[in-house]
Amino acid sequence: MTLRTLLMSGAATLIALPAAAQLTVFDYAGFENPAFHTAYTETHGEGPDFAFFGDEEEAFQKLSSGFRADVTHICAGSVPKFVESGLLEPWDLSRIDAWDDLSRDLTGQDVASGDDVYFVPVDYGSTAIAYDTENVPEEDVATLDVFTNPKYQGRMTLPDNVDDAYALAYLATGTTDWSNATDAQFEAASDWLRQVHPNLRTYWTDPAELSQLLASGEVLIAWAWNETLPTMVQEGFPIGFQREAAEGSSLWLCGYVNMKEADGEEDRAYDYLNAMLDPSSTEALLDAGYGQSNQAAMEGQGEEALTASGLGPIDAPVLAQLPMDGALRQRQAETFERIKAGF
C-alpha cells in the first residue's frame, strides 16, 4: 500500500505560509490515473493525494482506527456497513453537476439511508472468465465449473476479494440474486469455493498482478474484472473474456463516499467527484475497462467501444453485486478467510 504525500515549502520567503488544503482520496491502486480527473487538476493546478487499500475490509478497518481521508472509493456491497458505522456524511446532490445525467439503473438502487445519499455511483464493470485462448479451448470455459476442472489445477486464480469470490460461487451454484440469499445458498456457495481452493495457483490482489500471472503463463484461467481485457489486448496477449458462461457473470458497481472526519476542504471533495463524473473522464475510464455512471456521456461512446472493454450486451444471467444484508456479508468475509487458509 502506498501513501503519496505532497510537501509544499515557501523557500523564497522568510515567513512560512500555510500549505494549501489538500484532498486525500482513499482508493484502489490504479484510480490515481490523472486522466480520470483532469477537470480537478485544471481547477487546482495539481491532483489530489492518494492513499491505497487492497480491499474494502482493510479500508474500513483503517478508517475505523482513525485514518483520515476526505473521500473513499467503495463498492455497493460495502455501503450498508459504512453507513451504519457513522463514518460518513451525506452528499449534497445540488453540488453534483452530473447527478441528473447518471444512469437511474445505478442511482435507483438501495444505496442511501432514508432521504440522505451517502454513496454516489461513479464506475461499474463486469467480472467473468479471462483465459489464455492459445491454451484453453473455448468449450472449456462454457461453464463456471471450469474452476473445478482438475485439468487446470494450479493454473487458475480468483480475486482476493470476498464480493467477487462469492459472486462467482453464487452463480456457479445457481443463485443470481444475493440480496436475499438463504442459509442453504450461502453454504452451497461456500462449499463450492472450498472445492475450488486446491485448484488455484493464488488469489490475485490487483489487476497488475493478474496481468503478470497471465502473461507469464503461470495462470491460464482467472475470474477477472473486465479491465483485464483491454489491458491484455494492448499487450498483444491472446486473451478471451467469457461473460456468457452457462451460469452467467457478475456486474459490480462502485463509487465514492464522503468521510465525516476529514482534514481537506469540502469544496475539493465535490470538485473531485464532479471531475470523475465529467464527460472529459469517460473515454479514459472506458479505455481502462471502467464504465462511467454518467449515462449521457457513455451513450456517446458506442456499442463497439463498450464491447472492446468487456461491457457490451450479453445473453446470460447476471448477478448484480449490489448491497446485501450486513450480517450475511460478514459471514461471507469470515468464511472466505477460512477457505483461503485451507479450512
Side-chain angles (χ1 to χ4, degrees):
M1 184 171 58
T2 305
L3 175 62
R4 298 180 179 179
T5 307
L6 298 177
L7 300 177
M8 299 184 66
S9 63
T13 126
L14 296 176
I15 300 175
L17 298 176
Q22 298 296 311
L23 180 78
T24 298
V25 180
F26 202 22
D27 217 322
Y28 283 100
F31 279 89
E32 74 278 15
N33 186 339
F36 295 172
H37 54 262
T38 55
Y40 179 93
T41 304
E42 289 171 358
T43 297
H44 296 285
E46 60 183 356
D49 293 346
F50 283 88
F52 302 111
F53 53 81
D55 61 39
E56 287 157 46
E57 185 60 29
E58 176 191 344
F60 182 82
Q61 294 303 326
K62 286 184 178 297
L63 291 164
S64 299
S65 299
F67 177 76
R68 295 290 188 97
D70 298 293
V71 295
T72 299
H73 196 182
I74 65 173
C75 297
S78 297
V79 172
K81 182 174 184 176
F82 272 75
V83 172
E84 293 164 7
S85 72
L87 290 168
L88 310 180
E89 64 181 24
W91 291 104
D92 179 352
L93 301 186
S94 70
R95 301 180 66 183
I96 300 174
D97 299 339
W99 179 256
D100 290 338
D101 291 328
L102 303 191
S103 168
R104 291 294 163 253
D105 290 337
L106 304 181
T107 59
Q109 302 298 336
D110 184 19
V111 294
S113 176
D115 294 328
D116 292 327
V117 173
Y118 288 88
F119 171 83
V120 174
V122 170
D123 55 299
Y124 67 91
S126 60
T127 310
I129 304 171
Y131 64 102
D132 181 337
T133 58
E134 290 186 349
N135 293 287
V136 179
E138 186 175 358
E139 57 267 25
D140 283 5
V141 293
T143 171
L144 298 181
D145 278 339
V146 67
F147 290 102
T148 68
N149 189 339
K151 175 181 176 181
Y152 299 107
Q153 186 171 26
R155 307 294 296 279
M156 296 186 286
T157 183
L158 300 187
D160 190 4
N161 180 296
V162 61
D163 290 340
D164 290 317
Y166 267 92
L168 167 61
Y170 278 125
L171 283 165
T173 53
T175 297
T176 57
D177 181 358
W178 69 9
S179 63
N180 56 3
T182 64
D183 286 346
Q185 290 170 325
F186 164 72
E187 293 297 342
S190 300
D191 288 344
W192 189 87
L193 286 172
R194 289 190 185 94
Q195 183 182 357
V196 167
H197 175 76
N199 283 344
L200 302 181
R201 168 70 176 81
T202 187
Y203 291 88
W204 62 269
T205 57
D206 63 67
E209 178 191 7
L210 176 57
S211 294
Q212 291 171 359
L213 288 168
L214 287 164
S216 69
E218 290 181 70
V219 161
L220 299 178
I221 297 171
W223 187 241
W225 301 333
N226 63 286
E227 68 185 88
T228 300
L229 176 61
T231 297
M232 299 303 286
V233 166
Q234 289 171 8
E235 295 176 2
F237 185 81
I239 184 79
F241 193 62
Q242 174 58 284
R243 295 176 62 205
E244 296 182 292
E247 303 86 352
S249 57
S250 69
L251 181 72
W252 52 262
L253 168 65
C254 302
Y256 287 90
V257 291
N258 194 7
M259 308 309 300
K260 182 183 295 183
E261 299 294 333
D263 295 327
E265 290 182 350
E266 184 76 351
D267 287 348
R268 289 197 177 212
Y270 283 93
D271 288 344
Y272 181 76
L273 181 61
N274 284 327
M276 289 292 294
L277 293 170
D278 194 81
S280 63
S281 300
T282 310
E283 187 172 345
L285 285 165
L286 194 57
D287 285 347
Y290 304 115
Q292 187 192 50
S293 62
N294 187 334
Q295 185 174 14
M298 284 288 287
E299 286 174 351
Q301 299 299 310
E303 186 174 313
E304 184 176 344
L306 294 177
T307 300
S309 292
L311 294 172
I314 62 170
D315 183 17
V318 174
L319 184 150
Q321 295 180 207
L322 296 172
M324 65 169 61
D325 178 75
L328 174 60
R329 191 174 189 278
Q330 185 63 31
R331 287 179 68 193
Q332 291 178 179
E334 293 171 353
T335 303
F336 186 49
E337 291 303 313
R338 291 198 295 271
I339 291 171
K340 291 190 294 179
F343 298 101

